[in-house]
Amino acid sequence: MEELYANSWYRSHFQTVGTEYQEVMLGYSDSAKDAGRLSSVWELYKAQEQLVSLSEQHKIPLNLFHGRGGSVGRGGGPQYLAILSQPAGSIRGSLRATIQGEVIENYFGTERACELTFERYTTAILQATLTPPARCEESFREAMQRMSEKGCESYRKMVYETDRFVDYFRAATPEQELKLLNFGSRPSKRKAGGIETLRAIPWMFAWTQCRMHLPVWFGVGSALQQEIDNGNLELLKQMYAKWPFFQSTMELVESVLAKVDIAIAKMYEKNLVPVDLLPIGEQVFAEMQRTIDCIKQITQRDQLLANNPVIKRMYDLRRPMTDPLNVLQAKVLKEMREQENPSAELQEAFAATVQGIASGMGWTG
């Protein structure tokens, strides 16, 4: 961007096309799949700060285009707090964002839903423009950098470096079977290979179906625990209370952990995962519990979503309606994997469970 801004032809191009601002798109999906959510959001936060500073130096207005997916693992989730948690100066009266898949129906499916969506965006953008957040304390940034590095290290060690993790992933989730369904605008993979070649949507979608949501929280617990072990619990509590960015990050992870169902996830594991891969599952569930425990310590709440009873009640109401679909899906998957060519009846049953679970969870991927 600095080279572009310094280019005289590029600067004159603004007048040629009549554009008054520079637009830059921020991508959430692949960065989260490659490095884990904690590292992804922190690097994007710093990138926005640098873009704002650069635009101010060259006196070129900046408009950021947030390429968010539907799920939290791809940058989605409640947008009001997310907008307010952006760096100072990154929102100045406008913002552009993608709204994808089933989220379109949720946000604009009815006249009232549409009104509420525009109210949330308008209120948040006005508030962020008129009363931008102050720069956080340096100790907060230093702690966030340490957690970003630790979270990325833990995430990549499991997802990309653990021997046979790909086998565990494909056994514990319906990732392979999802390819049989006729949905999605793009192929699930860019080319043949492991996790690195898998697109972000099927990566998130597969973990959503078995109710584990691993891409959102894996590595977060290890990062938080490292700070707590180093005597920084009070610092983390201050960050949560005073820094909108950290508060938003923790609460989005908390909201997804509230959707996780350990019993259902272990039921998939028991029925579908070979015995020799179970030690990987033990590490996964240990990190899940670590993340839950750390977030409870930082938020000082005994239960997840205790501060948001409306959302908690919605999750509690949906859970018993979704559980039978998960039980059925695990049974169907087992039968499909026992057959060389699964019958049309089994494939139709599988497709029905996929649609039902996605509706229950509120997103596909």
Side-chain angles (χ1 to χ4, degrees), residues 29-34 73-74 155 160 169-170 175 178-179 183-207 215 365:
S29 300
D30 286 325
S31 61
K33 184 173 79 72
D34 291 343
R74 296 182 51 244
Y155 177 86
Y160 291 97
F169 164 58
R170 288 175 175 161
E175 185 261 340
L178 289 171
K179 298 174 187 175
F183 69 86
S185 59
R186 291 172 289 181
S188 62
K189 284 192 173 186
R190 294 177 174 86
K191 58 183 178 180
I195 302 296
E196 69 280 357
T197 65
L198 190 67
R199 292 186 183 275
I201 293 176
W203 166 244
M204 188 67 223
F205 192 12
W207 288 112

Side-chain angles (χ1 to χ4, degrees), residues 1 30 34 72 75 87 104 127 142 149 160 168 188 196 229 248 255 262 267-268 274 285 291 306 321 328 337-338:
M1 289 307 303
D30 286 325
D34 291 343
V72 172
I104 296 173
Q127 191 170 338
E142 291 171 357
E149 293 171 1
Y160 291 97
Y168 177 84
S188 62
E196 69 280 357
D229 290 344
S248 172
S255 70
I262 297 176
M267 182 266 295
Y268 274 73
F285 285 109
T291 308
M321 292 184 283
L328 179 59
R337 292 174 184 180
E338 290 171 350

Side-chain angles (χ1 to χ4, degrees), residues 68-70 74 98-107 363-365:
R68 301 179 184 274
R74 296 182 51 244
T98 53
I99 297 177
Q100 305 176 12
E102 72 286 346
V103 179
I104 296 173
E105 177 71 19
N106 295 342
Y107 283 11
W363 60 58
T364 51

Side-chain angles (χ1 to χ4, degrees), residues 123-291:
T123 303
I125 290 170
L126 284 172
Q127 191 170 338
T129 301
L130 298 173
T131 57
R135 182 179 172 85
C136 68
E137 298 175 23
E138 194 60 34
S139 61
F140 291 2
R141 299 179 66 87
E142 291 171 357
M144 193 64 216
Q145 183 63 37
R146 291 193 299 269
M147 289 189 289
S148 171
E149 293 171 1
K150 178 62 177 178
C152 180
E153 176 192 322
S154 299
Y155 177 86
R156 291 194 63 83
K157 183 178 179 181
M158 171 56 72
V159 173
Y160 291 97
E161 299 171 18
T162 297
D163 186 39
R164 301 196 69 192
F165 175 80
V166 173
D167 295 334
Y168 177 84
F169 164 58
R170 288 175 175 161
T173 76
E175 185 261 340
Q176 294 289 294
E177 290 77 11
L178 289 171
K179 298 174 187 175
L180 301 173
L181 304 183
N182 185 25
F183 69 86
S185 59
R186 291 172 289 181
S188 62
K189 284 192 173 186
R190 294 177 174 86
K191 58 183 178 180
I195 302 296
E196 69 280 357
T197 65
L198 190 67
R199 292 186 183 275
I201 293 176
W203 166 244
M204 188 67 223
F205 192 12
W207 288 112
T208 299
Q209 286 289 300
C210 70
R211 308 275 287 277
M212 203 180 290
H213 306 278
L214 178 144
V216 178
W217 50 260
F218 201 94
V220 176
S222 294
L224 296 174
Q225 190 63 59
Q226 176 180 263
E227 289 299 304
I228 292 172
D229 290 344
N230 290 335
N232 292 329
L233 177 58
E234 289 305 315
L235 174 64
L236 294 177
K237 290 179 180 178
Q238 289 179 31
M239 290 169 66
Y240 179 74
K242 298 179 180 179
W243 191 13
F245 166 75
F246 189 69
Q247 181 186 4
S248 172
T249 301
M250 290 297 99
E251 291 192 352
L252 285 173
V253 173
E254 180 185 11
S255 70
V256 173
L257 284 169
K259 286 188 173 185
V260 168
D261 193 304
I262 297 176
I264 291 291
K266 288 192 172 181
M267 182 266 295
Y268 274 73
E269 188 180 75
K270 179 181 177 181
N271 286 278
L272 302 171
V273 177
V275 175
D276 59 332
L277 295 177
L278 293 180
I280 296 176
E282 292 176 2
Q283 296 177 58
V284 169
F285 285 109
E287 177 70 5
M288 180 194 298
Q289 192 59 54
R290 186 180 300 116
T291 308

